[in-house]
């Protein structure tokens, strides 16, 4: 009985000690962070031991207990940030530009040309999209292929343009072999509404897939190929969210009623006929459970 009591006291003391150590520290703009109305695009650890938090208006870095802000006071963030990428050479790419005022509601912002700023661990090096072969309003997506090629999804819609409900877009590819940029416009795409890319995915065969607003296609042998509709797979709804599970299966959410799945060989669509029930018409996030089941919150 005495040993049981001592064991209980030991674990109680241990739990109190652990509980006391589990204390959250809250950082705000008073801690030299950017204002809390920023949209966080992502968080990652860099090779120098710093933590990076990328927002649409600037970047926060945390190292050795101190915060540093990279904001519009530098050449980096004169534009709004639309995307970022850490490549295989540990370079940080930040894509920026003027937001689309019609679609994003930034009617009173300054208007600047889109481009990227690349951090090599020492300094930032800016490049405009005109230096890559096309004038674009903003760089909104970035991806590095397994062969080292860098792909950029850009918006060609002017910030004041309201002539179309579908934003115009283009693709830029930086070849690792040649170091040259290639521009792919509407006439190079396999479908009418494929130019505005929302996401990238590379399968185990090295084929790079593009998920556009109204179309899915892939790049193979230096040309684009459209993914055709079948009885089991239909992509008539625009894709807004993507998720890659632990088995490298791709899941796509197309509000308000469709989920798409691709396992590297077979494609499937799920809707209300498969028991999919979305109350408010929106998909927010995919979650994979410990037993490899996929959950979707709405």
């Amino acid at each position: 009985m005495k040993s049981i009591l001592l064991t209980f006291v030991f674990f109680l003391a241990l739990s109190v000690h652990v509980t006391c150590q589990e204390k959250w520290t809250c950082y705000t703009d008073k801690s030299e962070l950017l204002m809390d109305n920023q949209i966080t695009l992502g968080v990652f650890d860099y090779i120098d031991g710093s933590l990076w938090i990328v927002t649409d208006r600037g970047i926060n870095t945390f190292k050795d207990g101190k915060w540093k802000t990279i904001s519009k006071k530098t050449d980096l963030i004169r534009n709004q940030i639309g995307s970022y990428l850490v490549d295989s050479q540990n370079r940080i790419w930040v894509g920026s530009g003027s937001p689309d005022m019609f679609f994003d509601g930034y009617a009173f912002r300054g208007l600047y040309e889109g481009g990227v700023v690349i951090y090599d661990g020492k300094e930032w090096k800016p490049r405009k999209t005109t230096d890559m072969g096309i004038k674009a309003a903003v760089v909104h997506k970035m991806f590095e292929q397994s062969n080292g090629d860098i792909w950029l999804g850009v918006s060609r819609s002017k910030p004041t343009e309201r002539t179309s409900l579908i934003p115009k877009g283009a693709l830029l590819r930086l070849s690792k072999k040649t170091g040259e940029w290639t521009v792919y416009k509407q006439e190079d795409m396999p479908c009418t509404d494929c130019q505005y890319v929302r996401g990238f995915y590379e399968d185990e065969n090295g084929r790079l897939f593009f998920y556009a607003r109204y179309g899915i296609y892939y790049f193979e042998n230096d040309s684009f190929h459209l993914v055709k509709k079948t009885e089991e797979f239909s992509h008539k709804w625009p894709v807004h969210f993507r998720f890659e599970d632990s088995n490298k299966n791709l899941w796509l959410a197309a509000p308000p009623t469709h989920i798409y799945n691709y396992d590297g060989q077979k494609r499937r669509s799920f809707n209300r006929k498969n028991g999919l029930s979305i109350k408010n018409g929106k998909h927010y996030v995919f979650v994979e459970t410990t037993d490899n089941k996929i959950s979707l919150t709405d």
Side-chain angles (χ1 to χ4, degrees):
M1 180 69 180
K2 184 177 180 180
S3 62
I4 296 176
L5 179 60
L6 290 175
T7 302
F8 173 76
V9 172
F10 171 75
F11 281 107
L12 178 62
L14 179 63
S15 64
V16 171
H17 177 69
V18 171
T19 303
C20 292
Q21 286 186 333
E22 292 180 345
K23 183 178 179 180
W24 288 90
T25 301
C26 182
Y27 299 103
T28 67
D29 56 300
K30 295 182 180 179
S31 310
E32 298 185 1
L33 286 173
L34 293 167
M35 297 296 289
D36 57 5
N37 63 344
Q38 315 305 315
I39 299 174
T40 299
L41 302 179
V43 180
F44 63 90
D45 291 315
Y46 194 51
I47 55 174
D48 63 357
S50 59
L51 175 70
W52 289 58
I53 303 175
V54 183
T55 77
D56 63 334
R57 307 282 187 85
I59 298 172
N60 297 307
T61 63
F62 186 72
K63 185 179 181 182
D64 299 328
K66 296 181 180 180
W67 287 100
K68 181 181 178 182
T69 299
I70 305 171
S71 67
K72 63 183 179 181
K73 295 180 180 180
T74 70
D75 290 336
L76 171 63
I77 313 302
R78 190 173 71 158
N79 298 344
Q80 180 179 338
I81 295 177
S83 57
Y84 76 94
L85 167 72
V86 183
D87 69 15
S88 57
Q89 300 179 49
N90 293 313
R91 297 176 300 181
I92 301 174
W93 296 61
V94 176
S96 64
S98 295
D100 188 314
M101 295 195 302
F102 178 54
F103 293 98
D104 297 332
Y106 296 100
F108 300 104
R109 300 281 183 84
L111 307 180
Y112 303 104
E113 181 185 339
V116 297
V117 188
I118 306 172
Y119 181 67
D120 60 6
K122 297 180 180 180
E123 60 179 340
W124 291 96
K125 298 179 180 179
R127 293 198 65 179
K128 294 183 178 180
T129 55
T130 48
D131 300 328
M132 307 171 194
I134 188 175
K135 185 175 183 179
V138 63
V139 178
H140 61 84
K141 291 292 180 183
M142 289 191 281
F143 184 81
E144 182 180 17
Q145 205 170 350
S146 59
N147 63 6
D149 290 356
I150 303 292
W151 290 81
L152 307 181
V154 304
S155 171
R156 296 176 60 197
S157 299
K158 297 179 181 179
T160 55
E161 187 173 61
R162 303 190 181 195
T163 57
S164 175
L165 293 177
I166 301 176
K168 296 179 181 179
L171 285 168
L172 306 179
R173 177 170 67 107
L174 175 62
S175 172
K176 184 178 181 180
K177 291 182 179 180
T178 65
E180 300 292 331
W181 287 94
T182 302
V183 179
Y184 302 100
K185 299 180 181 180
Q186 173 60 62
E187 55 268 25
D188 303 306
M189 306 300 177
C191 59
T192 304
D193 302 324
C194 288
Q195 75 272 24
Y196 194 82
V197 173
R198 291 182 175 271
F200 300 87
Y201 170 76
E202 186 175 4
D203 68 10
E204 58 185 8
N205 298 315
R207 291 184 298 182
L208 182 61
F209 287 83
F210 307 88
Y211 295 88
R213 186 173 179 85
Y214 291 99
I216 299 175
Y217 57 104
Y218 61 93
F219 188 76
E220 188 177 37
N221 298 325
D222 290 325
S223 60
F224 295 99
H225 308 272
L226 184 66
V227 174
K228 297 180 179 179
K229 299 178 182 179
T230 64
E231 292 183 0
E232 294 183 335
F233 178 74
S234 173
H235 51 79
K236 63 181 180 179
W237 296 95
V239 173
H240 288 273
F241 305 98
R242 65 181 301 279
F243 174 73
E244 189 174 335
D245 64 26
S246 58
N247 295 317
K248 294 187 176 180
N249 297 320
L250 182 67
W251 298 85
L252 304 171
T257 59
H258 282 68
I259 299 294
Y260 306 139
N261 172 253
Y262 177 58
D263 62 5
Q265 297 181 350
K266 186 177 180 181
R267 299 179 179 277
R268 293 180 295 171
S269 297
F270 302 96
N271 52 35
R272 289 191 175 93
K273 294 180 180 179
N274 305 104
L276 184 65
S277 177
I278 303 297
K279 294 181 180 179
N280 61 2
K282 294 182 179 179
H283 306 294
Y284 288 106
V285 64
F286 288 95
V287 176
E288 183 176 9
T289 61
T290 55
D291 56 354
N292 300 120
K293 292 182 179 180
I294 301 299
S295 299
L296 178 68
T297 64
D298 66 276

